[in-house]
Amino acid sequence: MIPALGLLGAAAMGALLLTERRRRGTAERLAASAMETLLNAIDANDPVTGAHVRRVAAVALELAQALGLDERQQRTVERVALFHDIGKIHEALFDILHDANSLTRDERAAVATHPRRGSEVLEPLEAFYPELCAGVLAHHERWDGTGYPQGLKGRDIPLAARIVALADSFDAITHSRRYSSGRSDAAAAEQILAGRGTQFDPELVDLFLAPPVLAEVARARAAALRPRAKGSRRRNRRASPAPDVIFRWRSGAPGRQSRARAAAR
């Protein structure tokens, strides 16, 4: 009798564990779907910002790979890049960001709230993506401690945020905006170099400006600019949890799967 009861108890425990695993898997898939929905919301609200965050993600992934980060860290960098400007879709900022006139001091102060707004928007997903909110919150911090909103300095700034800050600035320099014309990659490289050790992590700047990395950045940006085919979302052949979500934005040429699909495994 006792061995039989022991077997029954083990079976019941196994069933409970299986149920919990399935429940967790369902929650993770919902979290992944929520992130896809948020990315679609950025596109629907502001296609210009949608295109910007995809280019930034492409550049940031190249830098993360060149840095030798593992796949989990690369996925974190990608998520921070894709959602770093989600705070800008707030209704209080939309008119400011789309006004053709120069920003006033108060308007600049309002725009500077977008990292915190974005972090707050993403907070419900923090249980699944614990580094996402901190990365989005810190993407306008500076290496010398003069950034915002927390005034973090040096390595106190999350690595994903340091990478995204550099990629974000590079894209801002090379693409035309309502208040500035896009400049060449060479001009952007000069400006990035000028911010070495003040605005940007000096080691990341040195890596980013290495000719092989710049060449990969140019190729990744070109791929991100190509039109996306409908229904072209890449899926894993194996079931994957939320941290392995593959965003439908990402494009990649054959033979570049290890780069363009860095978060696919």
Side-chain angles (χ1 to χ4, degrees), residues 6 16 63 82 85 101 104 107 109 112 128-129 137 161 200 215 241 249 264:
L16 286 173
L63 186 53
L82 286 171
D85 273 349
N101 298 317
T104 66
E107 286 172 338
F128 299 99
Y129 309 105
L137 181 64
F200 306 116
W249 74 273

Side-chain angles (χ1 to χ4, degrees), residues 58-128:
V59 172
L61 269 175
E62 290 297 336
L63 186 53
Q65 290 166 10
L67 193 60
L69 300 186
D70 61 35
E71 291 184 1
R72 182 193 66 79
Q73 292 171 309
Q74 289 178 29
R75 289 193 295 271
T76 295
V77 169
E78 179 188 36
R79 286 191 290 269
V80 172
L82 286 171
F83 296 102
H84 75 280
D85 273 349
I86 194 170
K88 287 184 177 179
I89 69 173
H90 193 283
E91 61 180 354
L93 302 181
F94 187 86
D95 288 342
I96 295 174
L97 292 167
H98 292 81
D99 189 342
N101 298 317
S102 299
L103 298 182
T104 66
R105 173 186 251 178
D106 289 344
E107 286 172 338
R108 289 185 182 279
V111 172
T113 66
H114 80 270
R116 193 172 297 280
R117 292 182 190 274
S119 178
E120 290 169 355
V121 167
L122 297 166
E123 189 174 354
L125 295 171
E126 194 166 15
F128 299 99

